Amino acid sequence: MHFERLQTQQGNLYLKAMELYGASFPPHEQREASSQAKIMEHGEYQFNLICEENELVGILLCWETEGFIYVEHFCIDPEMRNQKYGQRALELLNRRKKPVILEIDPPEDEVSARRKGFYERAGYAANGFEHLHPPYRAGCGGHCLVVMSHPQRLIQAEYDAFDRYLKKTVMGS
């Protein structure tokens, strides 16, 4: 398994990845096409295809800074789930030896509770910070999410640095 970083919106792989993105996240959690195009030019942003040999199994869209990696979007193709691809992709990401931060929906239903369990089994810990993710689209409100991190929980200063980065760089781009 490996990550293949795309730096352009050209080609069939990008189109296939965006189909997966559109099918995996509700519209209010998706960037508009113009925003996606703009952030692909940012040096810290990585539009990663998750590949097994030559097959696309998922996407991992993240921001890598000097101090941490923020996973903005991560999904495995529904036809490829339950084959350890998600676990293996996180293991590959964790080898970068930086704290990894991601957000999930609060575990209020079976699907979101299973998702939280998946990340916990992969070594991620839920943080107790009240966290509001800013809206991706005009007319939408922010949404409350649970911040998870690897290899350990964040201290307040780490969370504050992440939150500033999220608001100013990730969502400001």
Side-chain angles (χ1 to χ4, degrees):
M1 171 177 285
H2 68 279
F3 295 139
E4 183 175 324
R5 183 176 181 181
L6 295 184
Q7 295 183 295
T8 177
Q9 295 180 296
Q10 305 304 311
N12 289 335
L13 281 176
Y14 178 79
L15 295 176
K16 188 173 180 181
M18 289 308 291
E19 284 179 29
L20 177 58
Y21 177 79
S24 299
F25 300 96
H28 73 277
E29 291 182 14
Q30 296 178 30
R31 287 185 177 274
E32 294 176 345
S34 61
S35 174
Q36 186 64 51
K38 184 177 178 185
I39 65 169
M40 287 186 78
E41 298 173 1
H42 196 289
E44 293 177 338
Y45 181 71
Q46 299 175 22
F47 190 112
N48 293 309
L49 306 177
I50 304 167
C51 300
E52 180 67 42
E53 297 179 14
N54 291 325
E55 187 172 9
L56 174 68
V57 298
I59 57 174
L60 191 142
L61 314 181
C62 66
W63 298 77
E64 186 166 359
T65 72
E66 226 175 87
F68 62 85
I69 299 168
Y70 165 55
V71 177
E72 185 174 7
H73 292 96
F74 170 52
C75 62
I76 300 297
D77 185 316
E79 295 179 16
M80 308 297 276
R81 290 184 187 153
N82 299 314
Q83 297 179 50
K84 306 276 187 207
Y85 290 118
Q87 175 186 337
R88 290 174 50 214
L90 290 176
E91 288 170 357
L92 190 58
L93 184 66
N94 295 341
R95 288 185 200 151
R96 296 184 184 179
K97 303 290 185 201
K98 292 182 182 178
V100 178
I101 302 168
L102 55 85
E103 304 148 311
I104 62 168
D105 289 321
E108 298 170 344
D109 59 32
E110 183 181 340
V111 171
S112 56
R114 279 196 334 248
R115 186 173 295 122
K116 183 175 184 269
F118 163 76
Y119 286 113
E120 289 172 335
R121 287 187 300 281
Y124 285 72
N127 291 267
F129 306 108
E130 286 191 28
H131 181 70
L132 182 69
H133 190 286
Y136 280 105
R137 298 170 179 256
C140 293
H143 48 288
C144 292
L145 296 173
V146 174
V147 174
M148 297 193 77
S149 56
H150 180 277
Q152 60 198 22
R153 285 185 178 84
L154 304 174
I155 62 171
Q156 185 70 50
E158 291 170 323
Y159 171 77
D160 292 343
F162 157 68
D163 194 50
R164 275 191 308 277
Y165 186 80
L166 174 66
K167 290 174 180 165
K168 291 183 179 180
T169 302
V170 174
M171 299 308 293
S173 295

